[in-house]
Amino acid sequence: MKKGLFLSVLFALTALFSASAQEQHAHWSTSLEQIEDDLYRVSVTAVVDPTWHIYDTVRTEFGPNATIVEFTIADDRRAEKVGDMNISATPHKYYDDIYMMEIGYFEDTVTFYQDIRLKKKNAQVDIFVEWMACDDTNCLPLADQEFSVGIPDDSAVITAAEDAVSAGKSIWGLIIEAILWGFAALLTPCVFPMVPMTVSYFLKGEGGAAKGRLRAAMYGIFIVALYTLPIAIIIVVTRIVGGDAVTADIFNWLATHWLPNIIFFIVFMIFAASFFGAFEITMPSKLVNKSDSKADTKGFGGIFFLALTLVLVSFSCTGPIVGSVLIKSTQGEFWTPIITMLAFSIAFALPFTIFALFPSMLKKLPKSGGWLNTVKVVIAFIEVALGFKFLSVADQTYHWGILDREVYLAIWIVVFTLLGFYLLGKIKFAHDDDVKHIGVGRLTLVIAVFAFVVYMIPGMWGAPLKALSGYLPPLTTQDFVLGSEASVVQIIKTDGAQDDDTDFQAGAPKYSDFLHLPHGLQGFFELNEARAYSEKVGKPLFIDFTGHGCVNCREMEARVWSDPRVLEILRNDYVIVALYCDDKKQADQSDWITDGNRTLKTIGKINSHIAYTNYGVNAQPCYVLEGHGGEMLAAPRSYNLDVDDFVRFLEGGLEAYNK
């Protein structure tokens, strides 16, 4: 019964989304083609559904609503239009008895294009389209859509030969990309701890091989549903209500708010205590008795909870991927984000489904000895260590100061040292057998664990520990770093006491008493202050959209920013501003932003608003190079551990700034 209800809801939602996706009946995409050295063609193409049409661009007082296509250059100092807008097809025409006039219309595919001559690099063309779709029996209400096309420079431009591929990236291309991201997400630090948790949970499976396969399959289905259905519903609500900022806030809350992070921490500690043998995690007796009467649904509640935990816990790492999909929905691609999220979640769920199947196969092995309990205890130690990651996120976001880097490292060193002694047989738990001798496999694990402990120990004195950068609190939270002065506050000073033109006063940058940059870099934490200083000293601005709970941000700082070439450029040639998008501190009242009917007061919400409204970004890390008057010097850059590429990105920004 429950299974049928679940499928009925799933099919109903699918039908709803399918119907909504077809309402416009004209699907638009943009493209850019280089004609000559400085001459480009910006196009917008409509693909009209079969049996439907849109009207031509001839506006009449009493006729049907004409299709409106407007090309606007954002800054006429950077580019200019060449000639009038052209249309790829001649409209079909007929005499309409109702309007008593000749009417033109387009079917199938039609492209509207405008030639643009580039004066300076990195121009932007805004496109507005408005249309009414009709068939032989009725017309839908007017619909409209907006696009922005950046005209890049030199090697970054899309040539005519490439345009046919890149302009209309097929749905299959997006599906393949989503599948690859789904597999890549398994390598992120937030997802790793759920692998042993999954294996441990399904070790307790009952009901034979067939039941084990069903339980594993339902686990995979729940993961897919929990990723896809909420995203689909959010996209629908966002489009209906028009509250894009609300969407961003929901995911920011899940990844950084103290409540979900504390819940994740507690869940990990409860699982660890259970694996140590303190108690057995079981369903309440009332629910167990009820499930016993329905064999087909036995255990599905626990499987659903495990799937829900996986999705929520992994979100701080998969959030950037989900965020990029949501951006597509705000650009008019309604159905595509749901399909790509389905592809992503299937790829993400597949390995976990296999992990869930694996324990059922373990049951076929000999059951003599306590090796199964040893596996659970080892997992318990790992769960204790990894659970502190979520407590650390809440601690950094709210600046509680209870889990600084050296405290975090001390916990990990103790946990993994105890794990090493446990594997040696020096520590025993209630359900363990005596360890009379150590096999080669266990000895290998002992060596690996103690080697890991030795690797971590120098971190207590400030060693960077790049391999753990995604897990550890930033080095700036450490009280003592060997060879450096403790608790140094980085201060940027101007040449004078105050500059009336920039309204910037000498001294410590705003919010620098609790926000810091890595590697001893000096910088700002509020955009307007940084822009004023950038203009004063004549240097471009390096904007770092980051977050306390951003694993990939810490990895970029540890693996890319630490490179001597990158540090030299950032230190000497750019003004740096780090905008934390998840910080919960209230900003100065002068920095508050009004967004519709609400006032954004916290640093995180203000910076998230800036990232989304100014640059179309709702994921971190994102790096923006900005020059005079807020012009972007290069396309924004996100998570990428290629150091040489990052150096070229910075050098390209400097070259564009100095032209």
Side-chain angles (χ1 to χ4, degrees):
M1 184 68 182
K2 289 184 178 179
K3 183 178 179 182
L5 179 61
F6 172 77
L7 293 175
S8 299
V9 173
L10 178 61
F11 290 141
L13 287 172
T14 302
L16 172 63
F17 299 149
S18 179
S20 301
Q22 295 298 322
E23 286 181 357
Q24 296 178 2
H25 292 289
H27 312 281
W28 298 83
S29 62
T30 62
S31 62
L32 176 66
E33 176 184 350
Q34 185 175 22
I35 307 300
E36 299 173 2
D37 289 343
D38 60 349
L39 185 63
Y40 298 82
R41 178 164 295 167
V42 180
S43 305
V44 59
T45 299
V47 178
V48 184
D49 289 341
T51 74
W52 290 80
H53 60 266
I54 60 175
Y55 292 103
D56 64 15
T57 57
V58 178
R59 307 186 194 187
T60 59
E61 184 175 358
F62 301 107
N65 291 286
T67 299
I68 299 174
V69 180
E70 297 176 347
F71 294 85
T72 304
I73 297 174
D75 184 352
D76 57 13
R77 296 172 300 176
R78 311 193 72 81
E80 62 182 1
K81 295 181 184 179
V82 178
D84 298 326
M85 181 188 74
N86 292 284
I87 306 175
S88 65
T90 302
H92 305 286
K93 293 191 176 182
Y94 72 100
Y95 186 84
D96 191 286
D97 294 330
I98 297 177
Y99 290 110
M100 300 179 63
M101 61 187 300
E102 190 176 57
I103 294 176
Y105 66 93
F106 298 109
E107 292 179 321
D108 300 325
T109 302
V110 58
T111 298
F112 307 84
Y113 58 91
Q114 174 70 56
D115 290 345
I116 304 291
R117 189 171 302 280
L118 195 63
K119 298 178 182 179
K120 296 182 179 180
K121 295 179 179 179
N122 300 317
Q124 178 179 311
V125 179
D126 298 324
I127 306 172
F128 172 79
V129 293
E130 181 182 86
W131 73 97
M132 181 173 69
C134 300
D135 63 7
D136 293 337
T137 59
N138 65 90
C139 290
L140 296 178
L142 276 173
D144 61 76
Q145 201 164 333
E146 296 181 2
F147 303 91
S148 289
V149 176
I151 301 182
D153 59 307
D154 302 334
S155 61
V157 73
I158 304 172
T159 64
E162 296 168 328
D163 179 58
V165 177
S166 62
K169 192 174 184 181
S170 70
I171 183 64
W172 288 109
L174 291 172
I175 289 173
I176 292 172
E177 182 180 338
I179 290 173
L180 293 176
W181 274 117
F183 288 130
L186 297 168
L187 305 177
T188 58
C190 314
V191 180
F192 266 35
M194 291 306 299
V195 175
M197 186 179 290
T198 296
V199 174
S200 297
Y201 183 88
F202 284 93
L203 281 172
K204 300 180 294 183
E206 298 178 357
K211 184 73 173 186
R213 287 192 292 270
L214 175 62
R215 284 159 52 87
M218 289 306 301
Y219 184 47
I221 291 172
F222 283 141
I223 294 172
V224 172
L226 286 167
Y227 261 111
T228 306
L229 292 183
I231 294 298
I233 293 170
I234 289 171
I235 291 174
V236 172
V237 173
T238 298
R239 287 182 66 90
I240 293 174
V241 179
D244 298 335
V246 174
T247 302
D249 282 349
I250 291 172
F251 293 111
N252 181 278
W253 184 87
L254 281 173
T256 64
H257 195 274
W258 68 268
L259 181 59
N261 277 284
I262 293 297
I263 290 175
F264 298 155
F265 170 73
I266 293 173
V267 166
F268 272 65
M269 295 304 109
I270 290 175
F271 267 87
S274 174
F275 297 161
F276 279 132
F279 50 84
E280 188 72 20
I281 297 178
T282 59
M283 296 287 287
S285 57
K286 184 177 180 180
L287 293 178
V288 171
N289 294 334
K290 185 176 181 180
S291 65
D292 284 340
S293 63
K294 297 181 179 182
D296 290 340
T297 60
K298 186 176 181 180
F300 286 173
I303 296 172
F304 176 81
F305 173 77
L306 186 66
L308 178 62
T309 303
L310 167 64
V311 171
L312 294 177
V313 165
S314 65
F315 188 81
S316 59
C317 286
T318 59
I321 302 170
V322 175
S324 64
V325 172
L326 288 178
I327 287 180
K328 291 181 182 296
S329 71
T330 65
Q331 296 172 342
E333 300 178 33
F334 179 83
W335 185 241
T336 301
I338 300 173
I339 294 176
T340 53
M341 182 53 61
L342 178 64
F344 165 81
S345 59
I346 290 174
F348 181 75
L350 181 59
F352 282 98
T353 305
I354 295 173
F355 295 146
L357 283 168
F358 181 69
S360 65
M361 291 185 283
L362 285 179
K363 284 192 167 185
K364 299 177 182 179
L365 297 176
K367 297 182 179 180
S368 60
W371 66 275
L372 285 176
N373 191 70
T374 301
V375 171
K376 291 177 63 176
V377 172
V378 170
I379 291 172
F381 278 110
I382 296 174
E383 295 295 336
V384 169
L386 296 178
F388 277 92
K389 168 63 182 172
F390 302 101
L391 183 60
S392 174
V393 169
D395 180 65
Q396 293 172 56
T397 304
Y398 288 87
H399 307 285
W400 296 336
I402 60 176
L403 201 59
D404 291 345
R405 189 173 185 266
E406 65 269 31
V407 176
Y408 192 99
L409 269 173
I411 293 172
W412 272 40
I413 290 170
V414 170
V415 167
F416 284 98
T417 299
L418 292 175
L419 173 58
F421 283 120
Y422 172 77
L423 291 172
L424 284 172
K426 303 300 181 184
I427 298 175
K428 286 181 58 180
F429 290 90
H431 303 292
D432 284 325
D433 294 334
D434 292 332
V435 179
K436 298 180 180 179
H437 63 273
I438 295 177
V440 174
R442 184 178 285 233
L443 177 62
T444 302
L445 288 176
V446 169
I447 293 173
V449 169
F450 280 119
F452 182 53
V453 171
V454 172
Y455 171 78
M456 288 190 290
I457 290 174
M460 296 294 291
W461 291 273
L465 305 183
K466 292 183 181 181
L468 297 176
S469 57
Y471 293 97
L472 301 179
L475 190 59
T476 53
T477 65
Q478 188 144 336
D479 294 329
F480 174 74
V481 177
L482 189 64
S484 302
E485 294 183 17
S487 304
V488 175
V489 178
Q490 300 294 337
I491 297 177
I492 296 179
K493 293 186 177 294
T494 59
D495 295 334
Q498 185 170 350
D499 189 321
D500 294 333
D501 294 332
T502 61
D503 193 28
F504 177 78
Q505 188 170 358
K510 191 179 291 185
Y511 312 129
S512 63
D513 55 329
F514 58 90
L515 296 177
H516 308 282
L517 287 168
H519 309 300
L521 290 167
Q522 299 180 350
F524 295 84
F525 306 96
E526 196 277 322
L527 185 58
N528 291 328
E529 186 181 41
R531 279 175 171 167
Y533 187 73
S534 172
E535 291 292 331
K536 183 177 184 66
V537 299
K539 292 182 180 181
L541 195 61
F542 177 86
I543 306 175
D544 170 25
F545 288 105
T546 185
H548 298 291
C550 174
V551 172
N552 292 338
C553 300
R554 302 293 84 77
E555 236 189 320
M556 283 292 295
E557 292 164 3
R559 295 175 179 266
V560 178
W561 289 34
S562 62
D563 186 271
R565 295 169 295 167
V566 175
L567 279 176
E568 182 179 3
I569 297 174
L570 289 177
R571 185 173 288 116
N572 299 326
D573 300 321
Y574 281 94
V575 172
I576 306 172
V577 54
L579 301 181
Y580 282 83
C581 296
D582 59 3
D583 195 276
K584 307 303 180 183
K585 281 261 191 179
Q586 182 167 304
D588 292 350
Q589 189 169 353
S590 59
D591 297 330
W592 292 0
I593 292 177
T594 300
D595 179 22
N597 296 324
R598 62 176 188 162
T599 300
L600 307 179
K601 299 181 180 181
T602 66
I603 293 173
K605 287 186 176 181
I606 292 169
N607 290 334
S608 294
H609 176 83
I610 292 171
Y612 185 79
T613 57
N614 291 8
Y615 308 102
V617 172
N618 69 350
Q620 300 87 46
C622 180
Y623 307 110
V624 177
L625 305 182
E626 192 175 275
H628 303 290
E631 66 169 339
M632 282 200 295
L633 303 175
R637 184 178 179 85
S638 58
Y639 176 77
N640 188 324
L641 297 178
D642 189 326
V643 177
D644 293 334
D645 228 23
F646 200 80
V647 171
R648 286 192 291 269
F649 167 68
L650 296 175
E651 291 176 342
L654 289 174
E655 182 180 348
Y657 180 82
N658 292 324
K659 285 185 178 179

